[in-house]
Amino acid sequence: LPDPVTGAAVPALDGAAILERVPGLDAIAELEPIAAEIDESREFPKATLKKMAGLGLMGVVIPEEYGGSFGT
């Protein structure tokens, strides 16, 4: 899909690759040491969720031409 703002082609990335690119979030350092515990407990650390929300990562933005409201 093209970037909804610039129209530039956006390369497909998996979730881990996206998290590695987020300024202010060192997901590898924070989550890798406790990944097995997260998998076993099926509970994600609330502090990390709050940090991700503060960085704007908890909302899904879908452009209007694809049926979304583009974050409104």
Side-chain angles (χ1 to χ4, degrees):
L1 292 175
D3 181 292
V5 176
T6 67
V10 178
L13 298 171
D14 64 32
I18 292 169
L19 289 178
E20 289 174 8
R21 294 176 174 209
V22 176
L25 178 68
D26 191 350
I28 301 299
E30 291 185 34
L31 300 174
E32 189 172 53
I34 59 171
E37 180 182 329
I38 292 170
D39 289 345
E40 187 175 311
S41 70
R42 298 181 158 246
E43 293 182 13
F44 199 81
K46 289 181 183 176
T48 304
L49 282 175
K50 286 182 180 182
K51 182 183 275 190
M52 291 171 70
L55 294 168
L57 297 174
M58 301 309 289
V60 176
V61 178
I62 300 172
E64 289 178 28
E65 64 263 28
Y66 298 107
S69 61
F70 198 31
T72 58

